[in-house]
Amino acid sequence: MDTGHIRACDERDVPMILAVINDAAERYRGVIPAEVWHEPYMPEAELRAELAAGVAFVAYDDGEIQGVMGLQDVKDVSLIRHAYVRTKRQGEGIGATLLAHHFYEGRGFHLVSDARTPALLRRYWTVPERQIASSVVLADRDLQPFAQ
């Protein structure tokens, strides 16, 4: 893998963020429920709405943006709202690098059980019910009271 670095994105990166998201989403065509999929997968207006709602993007950049991750603070948690890597670069560790830059198990975060995930998604994020089935949640130990 080329040596890249993680950096914050700004307005100038919007076209590249869109290019990465829409390229990466192609791998999930036919997997993502039909009612959630559209062309392009993320139009510019939707990305701009995400930015206006407080989603901040970081990029893995090796001279060109190869992966992006969108983060958003909601209530008392930080959400990973988007995580995409260019199709041709998937499997090289770029997504793991982006994830490790922000959240990793060594800092107390863990994968939430499938049984708890739907309740947490409904509490902190508006997401279609069919998408809940394919989502994962990372949490710190403070979410223990939500175990039911």
Side-chain angles (χ1 to χ4, degrees):
M1 177 172 55
D2 294 286
T3 302
H5 66 282
I6 306 295
R7 66 173 180 80
C9 294
D10 62 30
E11 176 65 28
R12 295 170 294 190
D13 295 312
V14 167
M16 280 301 236
I17 295 169
L18 284 169
V20 170
I21 290 171
N22 289 315
D23 173 70
E26 282 299 319
R27 179 161 282 200
Y28 300 100
R29 183 186 292 272
V31 175
I32 294 173
E35 64 270 17
V36 178
W37 183 270
H38 40 80
E39 290 290 337
Y41 180 69
M42 182 176 285
E44 183 175 346
E46 184 178 338
L47 175 60
R48 292 196 180 278
E50 293 287 278
L51 294 167
V55 177
F57 280 85
V58 295
Y60 180 91
D61 190 332
D62 64 2
E64 180 179 38
I65 294 176
Q66 301 297 334
V68 295
M69 182 174 286
L71 307 164
Q72 183 181 33
D73 292 331
V74 176
K75 299 180 184 175
D76 57 340
V77 299
S78 293
L79 302 174
I80 297 172
R81 291 291 311 274
H82 303 281
Y84 297 93
V85 174
R86 288 184 184 277
T87 303
K88 68 182 180 186
R89 300 294 300 272
Q90 291 175 4
E92 295 182 18
I94 293 171
T97 300
L98 285 164
L99 187 61
H101 182 73
H102 294 283
F103 302 100
Y104 50 92
E105 289 184 349
R107 290 178 59 195
F109 286 86
H110 64 281
L111 189 62
V112 171
S113 71
D114 290 344
R116 292 179 56 213
T117 292
L120 290 170
L121 287 172
R122 288 182 190 107
R123 177 179 175 148
Y124 293 107
W125 190 22
T126 302
V127 57
E129 288 296 315
R130 290 204 47 200
Q131 191 173 348
I132 287 174
S134 61
S135 295
V136 296
V137 172
L138 294 174
D140 63 14
R141 303 295 178 215
D142 291 342
L143 287 179
Q144 290 303 317
F146 297 123
Q148 296 182 6

